[in-house]
């Protein structure tokens, strides 16, 4: 089975040794948990939801059985209108629907610096679209980093100096959080592939 991870620098593994990036660490986690899966790194550093939409057609090659979609962080950094981000992610999920490829949609917590309205509109995108497209939802890519500690501690111990990208230990925690959801995605792809 082949899973494509469509995303930005968090997926691509920015600032890390190749073996410590999200995709290689996830691949090893899945292997240890009995899933024989090839994970394709379709992460592009700096990519927005618009970039993901422009790449989704050639990401969804015939051998791709399932897709993780982890985009939106760069939309947040640029203050892009949540309606634009929503439309782009909707287009990505429509492409996956048309290709009969199940999706795990990965959400993000919006910062409060754009105001409560922006924050609420952005964070609503992910559960809304997951429901519309019957996609699996993982609420927040970075949530495992603050699960055991406060944000200041997480920034100091689990993030790179830029405060945006996780370090190797941070990636390990992220994978431990999202891994069971990827196993669920793989199970869904197996069921659909067998015609059940």
């Amino acid at each position: 089975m082949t899973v494509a991870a469509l995303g930005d620098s968090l997926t691509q593994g920015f600032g890390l040794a190749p073996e410590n990036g999200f995709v290689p660490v996830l691949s090893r986690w899945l292997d240890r948990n009995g899933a024989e899966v090839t994970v394709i790194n379709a992460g592009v550093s700096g990519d927005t939801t618009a970039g993901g939409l422009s790449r989704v057609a050639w990401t969804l090659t015939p051998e791709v059985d399932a897709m993780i979609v982890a985009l939106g962080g760069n939309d947040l950094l640029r203050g892009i209108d949540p309606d634009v981000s929503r439309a782009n992610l909707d287009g990505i999920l429509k492409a996956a629907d048309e290709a009969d490829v199940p999706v795990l949609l990965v959400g993000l917590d919006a910062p409060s610096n754009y105001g409560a309205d922006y924050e609420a509109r952005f964070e609503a995108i992910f559960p809304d679209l997951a429901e519309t497209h019957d996609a699996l939802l993982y609420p927040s890519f970075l949530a495992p980093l603050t699960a055991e500690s406060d944000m200041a501690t997480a920034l100091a111990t689990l993030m790179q100096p830029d405060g945006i990208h996780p370090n190797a230990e941070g990636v390990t925690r992220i994978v431990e959080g999202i891994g069971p959801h990827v196993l669920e995605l793989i199970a869904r792809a197996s069921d659909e592939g067998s015609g059940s």
Side-chain angles (χ1 to χ4, degrees), residues 181-193:
H181 299 265
V182 179
L183 289 175
E184 190 180 347
L185 175 68
I186 291 163
R188 181 178 282 199
S190 297
D191 290 346
E192 290 183 8

Side-chain angles (χ1 to χ4, degrees), residues 77-193:
L77 289 173
R78 297 175 190 186
I80 290 172
D81 184 333
D83 291 344
V84 173
S85 302
R86 179 186 288 267
N88 291 331
L89 287 167
D90 186 53
I92 290 168
L93 291 170
K94 281 178 180 167
D97 291 344
E98 288 165 8
D100 287 326
V101 170
V103 169
L104 173 60
L105 182 61
V106 182
L108 281 169
D109 291 325
S112 56
N113 55 317
Y114 293 122
D117 176 65
Y118 184 100
E119 187 177 6
R121 287 170 58 220
F122 187 89
E123 290 180 358
I125 292 170
F126 301 94
D128 289 356
L129 289 180
E131 184 175 354
T132 299
H133 293 276
D134 191 29
L136 298 170
L137 176 68
Y138 184 65
S140 175
F141 191 89
L142 297 173
L145 303 189
T146 54
E148 296 174 31
S149 59
D150 59 57
M151 198 56 188
T153 305
L155 281 169
T157 59
L158 300 172
M159 301 292 278
Q160 295 179 44
D162 64 9
I164 296 172
H165 299 95
N167 62 21
E169 174 59 26
V171 170
T172 297
R173 295 223 190 157
I174 288 166
V175 167
E176 287 167 355
I178 201 172
H181 299 265
V182 179
L183 289 175
E184 190 180 347
L185 175 68
I186 291 163
R188 181 178 282 199
S190 297
D191 290 346
E192 290 183 8

Side-chain angles (χ1 to χ4, degrees), residues 1-18:
M1 178 164 297
T2 299
V3 177
L6 182 69
D8 51 30
S9 56
L10 295 173
T11 302
Q12 183 258 331
F14 178 87
L16 297 165

Side-chain angles (χ1 to χ4, degrees), residues 33-44:
N33 285 275
E36 292 184 26
V37 179
T38 299
V39 185
I40 296 172
N41 191 340
V44 172

